[in-house]
Amino acid sequence: MRERTLTMDTLNPQVKAVEYAVRGPIVLKAGDLERRLQQGDKQPFTEVIKANIGDAHAMGQQPITFLRQVVALCCFPELLDSPAFPDDAKQRAKRILQDCGGQSLGSYSASQGVECIRRDIADYITHRDQGVPSDWNNIYLTTGASDGIMSILKLLVSGQGSSRTGVMIPIPQYPLYSAAISELGAVQINYYLDEANCWALDIEELQRAYLTAKQHCQPRVLCIINPGNPTGQVQSKKCIEEVLHFAYEENLFVMADEVYQDNVYSSDCQFHSFKKVLCEMGPEYFNNVELASFHSTSKGYTGECGFRGGYMEVLNMDAQVKAQLIKLLSVRLCPPVSGQAAMNVIVNPPKVHEPSYAQFTKEKSSVLDALAHKANLTEQTLNSVPGIKCNPVQGAMYAFPQIFIPPRAIQEAQSLSIAPDMLYCLKLLEETGICVVPGSGFGQREGTYHFRMTILPNPEKLEILLEKLKKFHLRFLEEYSQQEPQITRTTEEQHRQKSKQPD
Amino acid sequence: MSVLQEISPNVKNMKQLEFAILARRVNQIKEELRQGVRKSYKDVIDVSWGDPHRAGVKPLSFVRQVLAACLYPQLMNSDKLPVDVRQRAQKLLGGCDGGSVGSYTATTGISEIVSGISEFITKRDGGVPSYPENIYISSGSQWSLTNILKVLVNSEGSPRTGVLTPVPSHCTTTLSLMGLGAIIIPYYLNEEEGWELQIEELHRALESAKGICNPVALYIINPGNPTGHVQSRKSMQEVIRFTSEKKLFLLADEVYQNCVYRESSEFVSYKRVLAEMGPPLSDTLELASFHSASKGFMGECGLRGGYVELVNLDPDVMEYIYKLFSKDSCAPVTGQIALDLMMNPPQPGDPSYLIYYEETQNIKTMLVHNVKRALEVLNSLPGFCCQPVEGGAFAFPRLYLPPEAIQKAKEVGMQPDTFYCIRMLEEAGVLVSPGYEYGQKEGTHHIRFCIMTTVDTMEELLRRLSSFHTQFMKDFS
């Protein structure tokens, strides 16, 4: 047999390090179990509950009618003659199609996106930020926010050895960032969010991470997710200011992942866009700090993940560098035009006087209220379980509780060469059919364990899930707490860490 | 602020497209037209993209009806949509989590659609089996190609990875390669022989790479872009033998497989030819073939539906390919649906069949007509010579520019064929792209334009082109 050209020895070494836990091994296992269930295999549960991915529609959330009407009209313009569609939806569809080649969604758009949509996004941002001007030339439509994030990172990774680009990411983080860093061969710089303080960003920790990293790489990029994924924290204005000040001082490119900007539940919290805060810090900051902010159709109240819609606004990018970015974006030709249309509806929703306003507002509130309720329910229930401690779910779509894992379980995990929280999640899946993602997939402080679950299942299912989880956790604690573990150096370390863990 | 020197060198190395110059000018001209500035034309004919809808071709009714029903299922409650449209939409929605096209899908695509693709491929290739686990759907075929290249190209390695690519070649692939830090090893297609690929040229190209880079793959596009050449079976067998002998990975871009015009030419897939050559080749040659919903009769470029089929890959490597695709989540569902409709169109007896058949036949007739007319007109004009367009979406005629024109181009700092294109845009309101963009033999010039337009548009285009060209040649002789 001829030796293959492409083997583990010859493939691009940077690819080998790429991991993406959200669709990783536990999810593949869940899919397997699901198939087996469908084939009539008996399991200790009747359904697999996928609480691993931020996909609202998969969990039964309904699409926003107005958005689907507009995109359907764009797709099949004969419907413009149908009395079944409201005028405001038709008006928007006509406007979008006007700017599409041949008035068709099937035409490539410019790689930056359809012009009127970019303009609408700029208007939306200006309005959202209470007048801080947005220039449509700085707006780029993207294939989901991920596409924009990858492109900016790709642009910025350069240098060799100690001058290699370093990218600061929060721990815990959404694993697209670590995957992108691996793929691009950049240097990952971890800054730890403060779990004891509702996952707040501590500026001293940023500085520590930066100074340590500076010794072996060139830190160039600072990534921040607000509201946070997986943590759910909503950063205070003061904190955002401190971050921007730090970025200014150290000449860092700020990537602000704001895809959950419409998902804020806690009444004590408010979404502050990085751009607005930057503007309020005065012209020296506003005209100099390089800032890319990302948004998406996948989250918020629309939950349109399958459309792969998103945009980024890029501030203060050098003109020559911008030309490079445009060149890079042209390689994937253009983002799906249906996703661009969906994004347009989000930034240009029905206005007060328009026919669809009432229904739109009702649907939007219904979705957001449900999410807020579920966020609260999840947080309360998890905190009622001994051995689980969950920070307030202030925003986003996830709970990221810390779990106590008994030393014996840690040992067993080690013997299986898997992370302890992976062992926990695998057992949870096998015994209850609930699929969540282990904290090790997102990053966490050494010796702590977490898992990320979504708050997306409908309230009845969520209650069932939480009930099963509670029972499982208590069983798990009991099962693994029966014997005293052997005292080894590793377990001594764990005993030390144990004092930091919840009871 | 980030400065140019801090930008990724691979990105900087990606060449700046000539098209940027033309794009700026076309936007200005469109604005001028909108403001009522007098010109000898009232609109710009843009045939610089392989984009049928942009050039006036209408989408297929069945496709748009099914998509609309999937997007807005309330449409299925009325009788307005044909029964088979409603059934198909129902079936497709059944494959979506939560019954919504707004859900993420499995990384490689909705499993029913992926199975449908593998069935289509098996049928297309006369029974050569295709397996769903080897198929990945992505946002357009270039996205898949880039992911496969990411696995093949070691940008930090020494020597650097080299990939054999044709000249001329469409830019997206070459840009992608440059962006990944690969070295492009050009192999020249033979214009005088209808843009045929000659095996000796492949050998020469590979030889030239010795000591410069580590060649790992051969990229080939069939039917060709921009050339329009459709490879013969014999030529494909030679390529397969060469690729195997030289231990290369074969990247076969087959997005134009549904666009073949010449009666005597026939598209046959690399996979089929490989299978017919039997073991050991058929079991060992590593092949990736790409297809898309952007071309063919559907022309749904904006929906972004493409796929790659991987043959004979190392299973361990497949795991890593999966991871790369998974961090992009999944392909847009509208693109996945478009692919399904392409693989599985209405059949005789279905309510939508007659209209579907009529529409596709019209497009076919239109394309054959356009190709014939374009060749007639181009080959009748002194200063043009166009090879037969056997397939694909473009005509790529050779342009014999007078020395004075070449001189003038130099003076204004433009490539000669870019200069010609700018002039054509300004004076005739026709946007085509310059051959320089695609690579060409030194001293030769070409233009490329899309032939997937309505018949009327093609006639108007050819009229304007002839008139402009005649004047241009006169002005510069």
Side-chain angles (χ1 to χ4, degrees):
Chain A
M1 171 83 119
R2 164 187 176 268
E3 212 185 81
R4 286 190 168 96
T5 296
L6 186 57
T7 63
M8 292 310 293
D9 291 329
T10 59
L11 100 169
N12 177 4
Q14 274 155 212
V15 169
K16 281 195 219 174
V18 172
E19 295 290 342
Y20 183 66
V22 177
R23 285 175 178 252
I26 193 135
V27 181
L28 294 170
K29 179 117 208 260
D32 217 23
L33 285 171
E34 218 171 20
R35 269 185 297 276
R36 282 201 253 154
L37 262 181
Q38 277 162 6
Q39 286 163 10
D41 230 24
K42 280 217 73 150
Q43 300 289 340
F45 46 85
T46 52
E47 71 169 322
V48 170
I49 305 180
K50 299 228 201 69
N52 59 293
I53 191 165
D55 186 344
H57 292 200
M59 293 286 114
Q61 182 176 305
Q62 294 302 302
I64 299 290
T65 306
F66 186 72
L67 187 149
R68 291 305 185 88
Q69 286 174 332
V70 172
V71 187
L73 286 162
C74 287
C75 175
F76 189 48
E78 278 84 333
L79 293 172
L80 288 166
D81 294 328
S82 163
F85 288 82
D87 285 337
D88 44 5
K90 290 181 181 175
Q91 178 263 341
R92 279 164 182 73
K94 278 191 222 161
R95 185 155 174 282
I96 292 168
L97 288 176
Q98 191 83 320
D99 266 10
C100 293
Q103 305 225 6
S104 166
L105 276 195
S107 212
Y108 288 119
S109 74
S111 59
Q112 264 186 271
V114 175
E115 184 178 315
C116 70
I117 299 179
R118 292 167 65 201
R119 287 180 183 276
D120 286 352
I121 292 172
D123 287 342
Y124 163 82
I125 294 172
T126 305
H127 179 80
R128 177 198 70 188
D129 294 344
Q130 275 127 26
V132 177
S134 175
D135 179 357
W136 70 278
N137 287 294
N138 292 335
I139 307 289
Y140 303 76
L141 271 311
T142 55
T143 305
S146 310
D147 173 33
I149 291 165
M150 272 306 291
S151 300
I152 296 289
L153 284 173
K154 187 171 169 72
L155 189 68
L156 298 175
V157 174
S158 68
Q160 306 282 346
S162 63
S163 71
R164 189 74 177 164
T165 302
V167 179
M168 301 184 72
I169 61 173
I171 297 296
Q173 48 112 26
Y174 170 55
L176 169 68
Y177 291 93
S178 47
I181 289 167
S182 296
E183 189 190 300
L184 296 168
V187 178
Q188 180 169 323
I189 305 171
N190 295 338
Y191 66 87
Y192 290 80
L193 299 176
D194 189 356
E195 184 159 18
N197 202 4
C198 286
W199 296 114
L201 198 160
D202 176 3
I203 198 71
E204 280 174 21
E205 167 57 17
L206 260 190
Q207 283 160 346
R208 177 213 63 78
Y210 175 84
L211 287 171
T212 315
K214 221 171 146 58
Q215 293 164 29
H216 60 265
C217 73
Q218 181 53 51
R220 289 282 301 116
V221 187
L222 169 56
C223 300
I224 184 159
I225 309 172
N226 183 49
N229 175 6
T231 57
Q233 99 282 17
V234 177
Q235 296 295 349
S236 68
K237 186 163 164 211
K238 174 165 173 289
C239 186
I240 296 174
E241 252 175 49
E242 289 180 331
V243 170
L244 288 168
H245 180 80
F246 175 75
Y248 173 84
E249 291 295 315
E250 308 299 350
N251 194 24
L252 299 172
F253 191 113
V254 180
M255 291 176 65
D257 183 341
E258 299 176 322
V259 301
Y260 297 101
Q261 58 187 264
D262 287 327
N263 301 106
V264 175
Y265 314 123
S266 172
S267 50
D268 305 324
C269 300
Q270 198 190 328
F271 171 73
H272 300 279
S273 78
F274 265 73
K275 183 166 175 228
K276 177 150 186 276
V277 176
L278 188 65
C279 177
E280 289 167 355
M281 288 166 74
E284 181 56 26
Y285 292 91
F286 191 54
N287 297 330
N288 284 301
V289 174
E290 283 166 297
L291 171 65
S293 18
F294 303 90
H295 198 14
S296 162
T297 60
S298 305
K299 313 300 174 188
Y301 55 91
T302 52
E304 298 285 12
C305 310
F307 277 71
R308 312 312 293 119
Y311 74 73
M312 60 182 175
E313 182 185 25
V314 185
L315 292 184
N316 295 323
M317 185 174 262
D318 172 276
Q320 286 183 310
V321 173
K322 183 175 173 174
Q324 298 297 319
L325 175 61
I326 291 174
K327 206 172 55 171
L328 181 59
L329 292 172
S330 71
V331 174
R332 49 87 167 121
L333 293 156
C334 71
V337 184
S338 45
Q340 298 189 45
M343 196 73 235
N344 185 245
V345 176
I346 292 173
V347 301
N348 192 9
K351 300 191 181 33
V352 164
H353 56 272
E354 289 183 303
S356 302
Y357 179 77
Q359 186 180 1
F360 171 85
T361 309
K362 183 156 162 261
E363 289 175 359
K364 176 178 172 180
S365 303
S366 166
V367 168
L368 290 174
D369 289 345
L371 285 171
H373 165 78
K374 291 187 288 190
N376 190 42
L377 172 68
T378 306
E379 182 196 322
Q380 303 288 353
T381 311
L382 290 173
N383 277 323
S384 75
V385 182
I388 300 186
K389 183 181 179 315
C390 186
N391 269 331
V393 178
Q394 297 170 341
M397 291 179 171
Y398 315 95
F400 193 66
Q402 187 175 157
I403 47 179
F404 171 73
I405 297 190
R408 253 197 67 219
I410 296 173
Q411 269 190 323
E412 183 175 320
Q414 276 165 359
S415 70
L416 295 168
S417 302
I418 58 175
D421 42 27
M422 174 60 95
L423 175 72
Y424 181 94
C425 293
L426 279 169
K427 286 194 166 278
L428 175 66
L429 176 61
E430 284 161 10
E431 291 178 29
T432 67
I434 298 169
C435 181
V436 299
V437 189
S440 44
F442 302 87
Q444 55 204 347
R445 276 206 185 276
E446 184 82 32
T448 66
Y449 309 105
H450 303 77
F451 65 80
R452 188 191 81 166
M453 62 173 276
T454 69
I455 53 153
L456 297 174
N458 69 50
E460 296 84 57
K461 199 163 268 181
L462 185 61
E463 282 192 29
I464 294 172
L465 185 161
L466 290 167
E467 193 52 42
K468 284 188 174 193
L469 177 62
K470 191 171 182 168
K471 290 202 175 103
F472 164 81
H473 187 84
L474 295 170
R475 268 199 320 271
F476 183 86
L477 284 183
E478 222 205 283
E479 190 191 324
Y480 284 97
S481 296
Q482 268 160 18
Q483 268 181 36
E484 269 306 310
Q486 267 195 321
I487 307 291
T488 63
R489 209 158 72 96
T490 330
T491 45
E492 252 177 2
E493 167 70 10
Q494 282 153 15
H495 273 250
R496 224 169 35 79
Q497 292 291 354
K498 206 168 113 178
S499 61
K500 293 186 190 150
Q501 287 189 12
D503 276 314
Chain B
M1 213 182 279
S2 297
V3 289
L4 210 51
Q5 60 234 46
E6 292 163 313
I7 299 311
S8 160
N10 289 339
V11 176
K12 281 191 283 193
N13 279 340
M14 289 163 72
K15 66 170 192 178
Q16 189 68 265
L17 293 181
E18 294 297 286
F19 189 70
I21 306 166
L22 291 158
R24 268 195 302 275
R25 196 71 192 99
V26 79
N27 286 335
Q28 285 165 350
I29 289 173
K30 282 186 177 160
E31 188 52 38
E32 288 167 16
L33 282 170
R34 256 197 297 269
Q35 289 171 8
V37 173
R38 281 195 67 114
K39 294 186 190 290
S40 63
Y41 48 88
K42 54 173 171 54
D43 57 14
V44 172
I45 298 180
D46 183 354
V47 277
S48 60
W49 303 65
D51 188 342
H53 294 193
R54 176 177 292 262
V57 179
K58 295 278 165 251
L60 298 177
S61 303
F62 182 74
V63 172
R64 291 310 185 85
Q65 286 171 336
V66 172
L67 270 166
C70 288
L71 285 162
Y72 192 59
Q74 285 88 321
L75 284 170
M76 294 195 277
N77 298 337
S78 80
D79 292 335
K80 295 247 165 69
L81 293 175
V83 150
D84 52 352
V85 167
R86 285 181 268 146
Q87 282 170 346
R88 184 69 72 95
Q90 210 124 42
K91 185 154 174 269
L92 286 162
L93 288 175
C96 297
D97 282 347
S100 166
V101 296
S103 291
Y104 286 121
T105 74
T107 298
T108 63
I110 293 172
S111 65
E112 289 84 353
I113 298 181
V114 174
S115 296
I117 293 174
S118 78
E119 278 159 27
F120 161 80
I121 294 172
T122 306
K123 200 158 143 224
R124 177 198 70 188
D125 294 343
V128 175
S130 165
Y131 305 103
E133 57 266 24
N134 291 335
I135 296 171
Y136 284 76
I137 303 180
S138 61
S139 186
S141 61
Q142 285 293 320
W143 193 291
S144 289
L145 176 58
T146 302
N147 276 347
I148 302 302
L149 288 174
K150 279 182 190 175
V151 182
L152 285 166
V153 175
N154 186 348
S155 60
E156 305 295 313
S158 184
R160 286 181 37 208
T161 308
V163 176
L164 286 151
T165 36
V167 177
S169 168
H170 70 115
C171 340
T172 325
T173 305
T174 39
L175 277 179
S176 198
L177 283 166
M178 287 179 197
L180 291 170
I183 301 247
I184 291 172
I185 309 166
Y187 61 88
Y188 289 80
L189 301 173
N190 189 336
E191 182 160 17
E192 284 73 34
E193 298 296 325
W195 295 111
E196 219 178 60
L197 192 167
Q198 253 121 29
I199 202 71
E200 305 78 45
E201 171 56 18
L202 276 183
H203 282 279
R204 181 213 61 78
L206 195 62
E207 193 58 36
S208 76
K210 271 207 172 85
I212 296 180
C213 63
N214 173 33
V216 305
L218 166 65
Y219 171 81
I220 188 157
I221 174 163
N222 180 48
N225 174 4
T227 64
H229 175 74
V230 175
Q231 251 190 316
S232 68
R233 223 187 198 93
K234 176 163 169 291
S235 174
M236 293 169 77
Q237 288 166 350
E238 289 179 329
V239 167
I240 287 171
R241 267 186 230 110
F242 171 83
T243 315
S244 175
E245 191 190 316
K246 304 295 179 186
K247 296 199 182 357
L248 300 169
F249 191 107
L250 183 56
L251 300 160
D253 191 338
E254 299 176 321
V255 298
Y256 294 103
Q257 58 187 268
N258 293 333
C259 312
V260 176
Y261 315 120
R262 227 191 197 181
E263 298 270 312
S264 52
S265 314
E266 189 209 343
F267 170 80
V268 61
S269 75
Y270 262 94
K271 182 158 177 245
R272 184 170 187 173
V273 175
L274 178 63
E276 288 168 355
M277 290 168 84
L281 280 171
S282 58
D283 293 335
T284 57
L285 183 74
E286 289 143 286
L287 166 68
S289 41
F290 303 89
H291 195 15
S292 158
S294 303
K295 314 299 173 186
F297 303 125
M298 287 186 31
E300 297 285 7
C301 311
L303 293 181
R304 316 311 294 119
Y307 74 76
V308 60
E309 183 187 21
L310 298 165
V311 179
N312 291 330
L313 262 71
D314 181 317
D316 290 335
V317 172
M318 288 292 275
E319 267 185 48
Y320 284 91
I321 292 177
Y322 180 85
K323 285 186 198 178
L324 269 185
F325 275 87
S326 75
K327 74 173 207 312
D328 302 327
S329 299
C330 65
V333 179
T334 48
Q336 298 193 38
I337 291 173
L339 276 176
D340 185 69
L341 299 172
M342 183 172 79
M343 302 292 147
N344 232 331
Q347 295 300 309
D350 291 348
S352 301
Y353 181 71
L354 283 176
I355 294 184
Y356 173 81
Y357 181 76
E358 195 186 305
E359 289 174 347
T360 49
Q361 280 303 107
N362 286 344
I363 293 174
K364 214 172 176 183
T365 312
M366 170 194 92
L367 291 171
V368 169
H369 172 92
N370 286 350
V371 164
K372 178 160 163 283
R373 283 293 294 145
L375 283 168
E376 254 168 31
V377 171
L378 290 168
N379 284 327
S380 73
L381 289 168
F384 265 129
C385 173
C386 192
Q387 296 299 315
V389 176
E390 299 175 315
F394 306 97
F396 191 64
R398 171 118 182 241
L399 184 54
Y400 292 88
L401 289 170
E404 271 194 41
I406 297 177
Q407 180 58 32
K408 183 71 200 244
K410 244 197 202 95
E411 284 167 23
V412 298
M414 272 191 213
Q415 293 297 327
D417 37 30
T418 309
F419 175 68
Y420 181 90
C421 292
I422 281 265
R423 278 300 188 90
M424 190 191 300
L425 173 61
E426 288 172 349
E427 291 170 27
V430 173
L431 180 59
V432 301
S433 40
Y436 178 77
E437 202 85 293
Y438 308 97
Q440 52 201 352
K441 272 212 174 77
E442 186 76 34
T444 66
H445 307 102
H446 300 78
I447 58 167
R448 185 193 85 162
F449 62 89
C450 180
I451 46 95
M452 291 180 146
T453 72
T454 61
V455 166
D456 291 340
T457 303
M458 182 55 66
E459 283 308 313
E460 177 62 13
L461 160 70
L462 292 171
R463 187 192 67 76
R464 294 191 199 181
L465 183 148
S466 306
S467 149
F468 162 78
H469 180 78
T470 311
Q471 188 61 46
F472 182 92
M473 296 303 259
K474 214 159 140 199
D475 290 344
F476 285 98
S477 49

